[in-house]
Amino acid sequence: MDSLWTYFNHPNFWWVLAGTTFLSAISALVGTFTYLQRKSLMGDAIAHGILPGVAGGFLLAGEKNALIIMIGAIVWGLLTVSSIDWISRKTHLQNSTAMAVVLSAFFGLGMMLLTVVQTSGLPDASGINSFLFGQAASMLPEDLLVYSVFAIVVAFVLAAIYPHLSIISFDRAAAQSIGFNVRRIDAVLSILVVAATAIGIQSIGLILMAALLITPAAIARMWSSRLIGMLLFSGAIAAFAAGIGAVISFTAPAMPTGPWIVLVLFIFTLISMVISPQRGLLKQFRQQKKNQNIILRENFIKRLYHQWEKSGQTTFILNELKDKPSKRTLRFALQNDWIHQVGITIHLSEKGLREGRRITRAHRLWELYLSRTLRMRDDHVHPSAEVMEHLIGDDLEKELLRTLGYPQTDPHQRDIPYEP
Amino acid sequence: MNTWVLINAVVIALSCSLAGAFLVLRHRAMLTDAISHAVLPGLVIAFLISGSRNTTAMLIGAFVFGFICIFLVEFFRRYVRITDDASIGITFTSLFAIGIILVSRYTDRIDLDQECVLHGEITYSALKRIVLPGTNWAVPQTFISAMAMLIIVSILITIGYRGLKITSFNPDYATSIGVSVTLWHYISGGIASMVTIVSFEAVGAILVIALMVIPAATAWLISKRLPAMLLNTTLLSVSGSIFGYGVAIWLNVSIAGSIAFLLGIQLMMVVLVKVAARRLPLQRATK
Amino acid sequence: MSNVPAIDIHNLTASYERKPVLWEIDCQFPQGKLIGIVGPNGSGKTTLLKNIMGLMKPDSGYVKIFGDKLNKVRHRVSYVPQRESVDWDFPADVMDVVLMGRYNPKKLFSRITQEDRDIAIEALKRVNMLEFSKRHISQLSGGQQQRVFIARSLAQQADLYLMDEPFVGVDAASEDAILSLLTEMKNNGKTVVIVHHDLQTAYEYFDYIALLNTRLVACGPTEEVFTSELLQEAYGGRLTVLSRIGELIAKKDFPVREKGQKDN
C-alpha cells in the first residue's frame, strides 16, 4: 500500500484524476442522448474515423500538442459524420453500412499516417500510441486544460439545447410535427459527439471510446426512466470508471487506461443487469415468483369457496383436499385469517369466504365479458378467466360491473356472487 | 516488394469480401465490427493455453468468444431491453477491452502486442514457410491457411447460396416456406467469424471490417443481380488489395491500412460516378 | 374439397413487449372463398397474419390449417408479406424473385429445373409482367412490385394464399389486375386471405370478412358482417377494460395462461 501513496503524491495524479473523471462524465452525457435516439454505433464510427485527424495533427505539430491534435480530431470527426451522411443519402446503402465503410476506410488512412509518424523520427513519436488505447497518466496539466475548455463548451451547448434534445429523444415524430427543426438538432448532436470523442481519446483511447458513449447510458437506463436521472447516473458512472482507470494508469504504467475503464463499465453493466430496479433480472424473477404465489393462493381459496358454494361446507380435512396447498400457500392463508386450522382440519373463515367470492366473481364477470363483448363461444372463455381473475382488482371489477350492467349470471348460468 | 505478401493479401481479401457480402445484404455490416473485436480475448486465451500460435486452438478460442458475443448481445437486448445497437456496442467493446488487458498483461508470454492487434502483420506473413510435401516448394504458412479458408468459404457460399439469398432478401417469406432464418443467420455469422479469425493476424481487428464490408457495398452499387454482385465483389477486393499494396510500398506505410483506404477510395469513385451520371440529362432520358 | 376450414384460429392471444395486441381471437375461414381481414390501423391485422404463418409465437391458443399443423401443410400455403418489408434494392431481377417461389427447404440445395422456370414464366404471364422478367426489381412501380410478389406466390402452386395489404401503394390498373386474378384463383377453388384496411372497397372485394380491432368483432359472410352496428363497434375505438388489463399484464409481467392450462 505504501507504493500506492507515492502515486497519490505524484504531482500530476490529482490533476489527471480530476481531469479524466470530468471529461468522461461530459462524454457520457452526450452519449446518453445518442443512446436515447438509438444512434449508439455512430459514436464508434466517429471514434475510429477520427484517427487520421489525430495522426495528422501530430505530424503537423511535430509533437504531442493537445490543441492541434484536438482540432485535427474534430475536423476528421466532422468529415466522418458528413461522409457517412453523404453515402447514405446518395446511394441505397443503409446508414449502418455507410458507417462500417467510412470507419474502416478512414481508420486505414489513419494507420498509414501512423506508420509515417513512427518512421518520422519525431521526438515524441511513441506518444501517439496513448491515443489508441488511452494513457491517462501521460496527460500533462496543459493538455487537461485544453480538453477541459472543450468539455466546458460541450456542456454549455448541451445545456442550451437541452429542451430540444429532450423532446426529440422522447418523441421525434411529435417534435417534427410541432415545427422543430429536427435535422438541425441532429447536426448539433453529431458535432457534440465528435467533440465528446475528441476530449475522451487521451484518457480512454479512440479504439474503445464508443464504450464511454454507450455503456454509461445503457446502465443509467436500467436505473432510471427519467432523462435527468439518466444523465446524472451516466455521468457519475463514467466519472467513477474513469477514476479507476486513472489510478490503474498510474500504478501500472505499461497498462493502457481505456480497457480498464471499459472493463469497470462492463462489470457495472452486469451488476445492474441483475439488481437494477427498472429491468433487473432479480426483479423480473421476483415478479414471476410473486405472480405464481398469487395464483397459487388465490386458486386455493377459490376452490374452497366453490366447495362451500356447492355444499355449504366450511370445514375440510386437509389431507382429503383434491389439490393440497403448498406450505407457503397454507401459511399465507392462515396468516391472513382466510382459514383457521384445528389439527388436521381447516375451517373457512368469513374473510376467506369473501376472498373466494371476490375471485369467483372476477372469474365469472370476465367470462361474461368475453362472451358478450368479444362474442366468444361460451365453451372457450374459461382458460382466459383462470388468469384474469387474479389480475382484476377493485377498479377493474367496478368497470366490468358497469359495462355489463351488474349481471346476475355468467355464460354457464352460474350465479355471479355479490357481497350479501 | 514481396510477391508472397501481395498474394496473401489478395487471398485474404477474397475470402473476407465474399463472407462479408451476405452481411452487407442483410444490413448487418456493423456486425463485422462487433465480431472482429469480440474474438480477441478468444485468440489470446487460446494462445495462453496452447502456448503457441496453434491455428486450431485459436479457431476454437475465437469461436467460443464469437458465440459469447452473439449470446450477450441477444441477452442484453431481450432480457434487459437495451437497444439493439447499444447491446452490440457494449458487448464488443467489453470483450475487446478484456482482450487488450490480457495482451498487455502477458506481452512477454505471447507473440501478440497492441500494435499487431490493430495493424496485423501482413508484412511478415511470407516469412514462416512450409515445404509442400513431395515438392521442394516452400510456401508461406499464412498462404496455406488463407487459401484453405478461401476454399471453405467458396464451398459454403456455393452450397448455401439459395438459403443465404432468400433469408437475406425476405426473411419473413423464408420462414413462411419453412426455411430457418435463425439457422442461416448463424451460418452467415459463422462464416464471417471464421474469416475474421484467419485474417485477424494478417490485417488486424479493424481493417478486417474494410475487407468484409467495402468491396461488397461497392459491388452492390454497380450490380443488378446477386451472381454479378459476388463477382464484382471479388474483382474489387483484388484490385483494392493490389493498388493498396502498391501504394503502401511506394509510400512505405502500413499495408493493411493502405488496402483499407484504397478500398474506400474505390467506393468513393463509384458513388461519384453514379452521382455524376444521374446529373447528366442524356443518361436520364435513356433510362 | 372437404368441409374442413382452411384456417381454424382458436383462442389466439398475441403480444408485443408483453402487451397483448390480439385478444382471444377465435374464428374459422372456409375454403374456396376470398376472405378479408379488415380493421382500423393498429388493430392487429398483420399480427394475426403473422401468427397464422408461424412468424410470431402466440401467448395462447393455436392455429390449424386444413385441419392440420402448419408444418404438415406448409407446401399448400403461400404467404405474401407487405411490400415494404423487403429492400427492393436487393441485387435481383424480376425472374430471380419469382423463382424464389420454387424454393423449398428440401430443394434448397438442388438446382432450379426447366420445369421450375416454366412455372415461373406462367406465373409472370398471369400477372402481366413477363416482359419485365429481366428488369431489376428497384426499377418497378409499386403496383408492379406487388404483382411480382403475387407471381412468386402463384409459382408456389399452393391452395391457400395469405396476402398482407396487397393493394397498398398500388395504381388503379394494377389493383384491377390483382383483383381479377384473385377472383380467378377463387374460382379455381383456391382460398385467398387478404389483410385490407380500406372499408370502402372491402365490401366489393370479399365474400367473407373478419372484422378486427385488437379483438374479433365479427367473422362471417360479408353481408352479415357489414352492418352499421358492427362496423361502428370495430371502428369506434378500443375497449377500456381490455387496454387496462393489457397494461396490467405488461406491468406485472403476468402470463396469459396458467401453467399447464391447455386450450381445448
Side-chain angles (χ1 to χ4, degrees):
Chain A
M1 277 297 93
D2 205 37
S3 59
L4 207 57
W5 279 112
T6 52
Y7 294 114
F8 286 177
N9 291 328
H10 190 284
N12 273 352
F13 178 80
W14 295 106
W15 265 105
V16 168
L17 187 67
T20 48
T21 49
F22 173 63
L23 297 176
S24 305
I26 297 292
S27 299
L29 293 186
V30 176
T32 306
F33 289 103
T34 52
Y35 175 84
L36 285 174
Q37 297 199 31
R38 294 164 185 261
K39 287 181 184 164
S40 289
L41 289 178
M42 194 66 187
D44 189 50
I46 292 172
H48 285 82
I50 234 167
L51 183 60
V54 173
F58 194 95
L59 280 173
L60 264 176
E63 55 163 3
K64 219 182 96 193
N65 180 318
L67 184 63
I68 293 176
I69 287 174
M70 183 88 189
I71 291 170
I74 288 177
V75 168
W76 270 93
L78 294 177
L79 196 61
T80 307
V81 175
S82 36
S83 304
I84 293 170
D85 191 50
W86 184 72
I87 290 176
S88 41
R89 265 189 304 112
K90 292 290 175 194
T91 71
H92 62 70
L93 296 177
Q94 268 215 335
N95 196 258
S96 63
T97 313
M99 270 175 0
V101 166
V102 173
L103 92 81
S104 57
F106 278 3
F107 197 79
L109 177 64
M111 281 297 178
M112 293 165 77
L113 291 176
L114 220 53
T115 38
V116 174
V117 172
Q118 274 152 359
T119 51
S120 65
L122 286 170
D124 205 9
S126 62
I128 189 115
N129 283 335
S130 64
F131 290 101
L132 292 174
F133 290 108
Q135 197 61 267
S138 72
M139 282 197 282
L140 302 171
E142 304 91 90
D143 302 342
L144 278 166
L145 206 64
V146 173
Y147 294 130
S148 300
V149 168
F150 276 91
I152 289 165
V153 172
V154 169
F156 268 110
V157 176
L158 211 49
I161 63 166
Y162 177 82
H164 303 255
L165 274 177
S166 56
I167 289 174
I168 288 182
S169 304
F170 281 114
D171 195 340
R172 208 179 160 77
Q176 212 147 14
S177 70
I178 58 169
F180 265 73
N181 193 338
V182 175
R183 269 190 73 89
R184 194 193 299 163
I185 305 286
D186 279 350
V188 176
L189 186 62
S190 298
I191 296 170
L192 287 182
V193 176
V194 170
T197 309
I199 59 179
I201 48 176
Q202 207 177 352
S203 49
I204 190 170
L206 52 83
I207 307 285
L208 290 166
M209 184 60 208
L212 197 54
L213 293 167
I214 302 169
T215 316
I219 296 172
R221 183 66 192 86
M222 289 193 257
W223 290 89
S224 173
S225 50
R226 292 180 55 230
L227 181 57
I228 194 80
M230 274 186 76
L231 289 170
L232 289 174
F233 224 102
S234 62
I237 288 168
F240 183 79
I244 290 186
V247 172
I248 289 172
S249 176
F250 269 91
T251 49
M255 279 283 180
T257 326
W260 288 102
I261 298 178
V262 176
L263 190 65
V264 173
L265 289 173
F266 185 51
I267 291 169
F268 272 129
T269 313
L270 295 180
I271 294 173
S272 307
M273 196 175 83
V274 178
I275 64 166
S276 88
Q278 293 277 326
R279 299 162 175 189
L281 295 177
L282 216 58
K283 198 206 160 202
Q284 287 180 30
F285 178 76
R286 274 214 202 109
Q287 183 73 54
Q288 298 283 348
K289 197 89 197 146
K290 199 173 139 199
N291 290 344
Q292 219 45 53
N293 286 335
I294 289 175
I295 291 176
L296 283 175
R297 65 194 183 219
E298 292 192 349
N299 281 351
F300 167 64
I301 202 73
K302 183 183 73 178
R303 275 195 298 272
L304 293 186
Y305 176 82
H306 285 177
Q307 295 237 5
W308 174 84
E309 206 179 29
K310 256 188 261 164
S311 60
Q313 180 187 2
T314 51
T315 309
F316 306 90
I317 296 167
L318 196 51
N319 284 329
E320 287 176 6
L321 288 176
K322 227 166 62 193
D323 299 280
K324 246 191 94 189
S326 69
K327 275 193 185 128
R328 179 197 277 270
T329 305
L330 202 59
R331 198 168 56 227
F332 182 89
L334 285 167
Q335 274 167 3
N336 284 273
D337 290 329
W338 287 359
I339 54 169
H340 302 291
Q341 188 170 16
V342 184
I344 56 162
T345 64
I346 50 169
H347 181 80
L348 188 58
S349 74
E350 198 50 45
K351 208 176 159 201
L353 268 177
R354 209 158 50 227
E355 187 66 14
R357 193 180 293 127
R358 183 185 68 76
I359 297 156
T360 308
R361 187 165 59 239
H363 182 104
R364 292 177 186 171
L365 280 173
W366 185 253
E367 290 195 337
L368 189 65
Y369 181 78
L370 291 183
S371 163
R372 269 206 214 158
T373 321
L374 272 66
R375 295 195 187 79
M376 285 179 67
R377 280 168 49 184
D378 293 343
D379 56 337
H380 282 199
V381 292
H382 179 72
S384 176
E386 278 293 285
V387 174
M388 298 311 158
E389 63 188 15
H390 307 296
L391 268 174
I392 296 169
D394 287 349
D395 284 2
L396 261 168
E397 188 189 312
K398 273 186 202 131
E399 178 89 35
L400 278 169
L401 285 170
R402 212 176 16 246
T403 321
L404 297 167
Y406 299 89
Q408 290 304 315
T409 51
D410 77 356
H412 311 291
Q413 310 313 320
R414 285 173 312 207
D415 284 339
I416 291 174
Y418 291 92
E419 284 306 317
Chain B
M1 176 87 184
N2 186 326
T3 325
W4 273 120
V5 174
L6 178 59
I7 291 172
N8 287 342
V10 168
V11 176
I12 288 169
L14 277 172
S15 43
C16 283
S17 60
L18 281 173
F22 287 96
L23 287 179
V24 171
L25 284 174
R26 278 158 198 263
H27 305 304
R28 304 291 280 170
M30 284 303 272
L31 203 64
T32 59
D33 190 16
I35 294 172
S36 66
H37 285 78
V39 297
L40 179 63
L43 296 179
V44 181
I45 290 171
F47 216 122
L48 287 172
I49 293 173
S50 72
S52 69
R53 276 196 191 202
N54 179 322
T55 314
T56 325
M58 287 174 103
L59 269 174
I60 295 170
F63 251 126
V64 169
F65 272 82
F67 271 98
I68 290 178
C69 171
I70 293 169
F71 171 79
L72 276 178
V73 169
E74 201 50 29
F75 192 85
F76 285 144
R77 211 171 56 80
R78 186 167 303 170
Y79 292 101
V80 212
R81 280 185 284 152
I82 296 175
T83 59
D84 193 32
D85 58 344
S87 308
I88 293 178
I90 294 172
T91 308
F92 81 76
T93 50
S94 303
L95 292 177
F96 196 65
I98 292 171
I100 293 294
I101 289 174
L102 289 173
V103 167
S104 322
R105 174 76 183 74
Y106 296 105
T107 291
D108 47 333
R109 279 175 55 194
I110 55 178
D111 185 13
L112 258 178
D113 56 17
Q114 294 168 28
E115 291 266 295
C116 162
V117 167
L118 292 182
H119 276 279
E121 294 180 320
I122 193 136
T123 326
Y124 311 113
S125 70
L127 293 183
K128 202 170 173 192
R129 298 202 183 201
I130 291 177
V131 178
L132 286 183
T135 64
N136 49 6
W137 289 347
V139 176
Q141 204 180 10
T142 311
F143 174 75
I144 292 176
S145 52
M147 203 60 205
M149 190 54 57
L150 178 59
I151 291 167
I152 292 172
V153 169
S154 312
I155 290 173
L156 283 177
I157 286 180
T158 315
I159 295 175
Y161 178 74
R162 243 172 273 163
L164 289 167
K165 173 171 154 187
I166 195 166
T167 51
S168 305
F169 173 58
N170 197 344
D172 278 354
Y173 177 76
T175 312
S176 84
I177 61 167
V179 174
S180 167
V181 173
T182 322
L183 176 71
W184 287 98
H185 175 70
Y186 275 103
I187 290 176
S188 70
I191 296 175
S193 315
M194 245 167 38
V195 298
T196 307
I197 295 152
V198 173
S199 327
F200 196 97
E201 278 186 77
V203 294
I206 293 151
L207 301 175
V208 176
I209 308 165
L211 293 180
M212 287 213 269
V213 176
I214 305 180
T218 319
W220 191 358
L221 295 176
I222 53 174
S223 316
K224 248 176 76 177
R225 298 185 61 224
L226 188 51
M229 175 180 151
L230 293 177
L231 181 69
N232 286 333
T233 302
T234 57
L235 294 178
L236 285 160
S237 68
V238 171
S239 65
S241 26
I242 292 174
F243 287 132
Y245 182 77
V247 170
I249 296 301
W250 173 43
L251 297 174
N252 188 24
V253 290
S254 156
I255 295 172
S258 164
I259 291 175
F261 186 58
L262 263 289
L263 288 171
I265 298 274
Q266 284 183 349
L267 178 121
M268 224 53 161
M269 287 187 334
V270 166
V271 179
L272 282 173
V273 168
K274 287 202 83 164
V275 171
R278 226 177 291 155
R279 292 240 171 94
L280 284 176
L282 194 110
Q283 282 271 333
R284 191 175 285 168
T286 53
K287 198 169 171 184
Chain C
M1 195 194 307
S2 69
N3 281 329
V4 181
I7 300 176
D8 179 3
I9 306 168
H10 189 108
N11 280 23
L12 186 125
T13 303
S15 344
Y16 283 115
E17 307 242 311
R18 298 187 184 119
K19 201 169 184 174
V21 289
L22 280 179
W23 282 96
E24 305 285 334
I25 306 296
D26 202 274
C27 65
Q28 284 91 36
F29 295 152
Q31 291 193 34
K33 293 265 194 292
L34 191 47
I35 301 160
I37 299 178
V38 180
N41 274 339
S43 58
K45 303 183 293 285
T46 296
T47 312
L48 182 60
L49 211 59
K50 286 193 166 171
N51 276 280
I52 295 172
M53 280 318 299
L55 299 171
M56 255 179 88
K57 214 173 129 38
D59 295 325
S60 77
Y62 57 80
V63 176
K64 282 195 169 168
I65 293 174
F66 298 121
D68 235 325
K69 283 193 173 144
L70 174 64
N71 268 333
K72 295 221 171 118
V73 289
R74 222 181 255 285
H75 58 284
R76 296 179 62 193
V77 188
S78 166
Y79 169 63
V80 180
Q82 272 181 25
R83 192 164 55 84
E84 292 83 25
S85 69
V86 303
D87 180 357
W88 289 92
D89 285 309
F90 193 88
D93 63 18
V94 168
M95 195 50 155
D96 287 327
V97 174
V98 178
L99 275 173
M100 285 181 197
R102 299 306 300 159
Y103 288 11
N104 72 51
K106 284 177 201 126
K107 274 172 61 182
L108 216 48
F109 305 110
S110 54
R111 294 184 72 85
I112 290 279
T113 61
Q114 189 54 46
E115 192 199 346
D116 291 328
R117 276 182 201 287
D118 293 343
I119 292 170
I121 289 171
E122 190 54 39
L124 275 172
K125 266 188 206 156
R126 287 182 67 186
V127 297
N128 282 330
M129 287 290 291
L130 190 56
E131 55 184 308
F132 296 105
S133 67
K134 292 273 167 263
R135 175 88 55 103
H136 186 266
I137 51 173
S138 67
Q139 292 171 329
L140 302 172
S141 72
Q144 290 170 327
Q145 288 177 343
Q146 194 64 58
R147 272 144 74 190
V148 171
F149 258 16
I150 292 174
R152 176 177 74 179
S153 178
L154 289 173
Q156 283 181 267
Q157 301 185 317
D159 297 318
L160 169 63
Y161 294 82
L162 298 148
M163 307 187 181
D164 200 345
E165 298 274 16
F167 298 113
V168 162
V170 161
D171 53 293
S174 285
E175 180 152 356
D176 287 345
I178 292 171
L179 188 67
S180 61
L181 183 70
L182 297 180
T183 315
E184 184 192 321
M185 286 160 74
K186 180 189 76 177
N187 293 337
N188 290 335
K190 311 286 186 189
T191 311
V192 186
V193 179
I194 287 182
V195 164
H196 193 67
H197 73 280
D198 182 25
L199 210 49
Q200 305 293 321
T201 45
Y203 184 78
E204 299 165 39
Y205 291 179
F206 307 121
D207 315 322
Y208 200 91
I209 283 181
L211 204 52
L212 210 65
N213 187 354
T214 67
R215 79 279 181 191
L216 188 70
V217 174
C219 182
T222 307
E223 288 76 24
E224 289 173 27
V225 173
F226 256 65
T227 66
S228 59
E229 190 197 346
L230 287 174
L231 289 177
Q232 197 158 20
E233 200 180 315
Y235 283 79
R238 306 275 167 81
L239 297 176
T240 32
V241 171
L242 283 187
S243 18
R244 277 174 61 187
I245 208 155
E247 270 159 29
L248 271 179
I249 289 175
K251 196 180 130 210
K252 295 196 172 174
D253 201 2
F254 223 79
V256 175
R257 285 289 185 271
E258 280 187 10
K259 270 185 194 158
Q261 178 93 41
K262 284 265 161 30
D263 292 288
N264 33 30

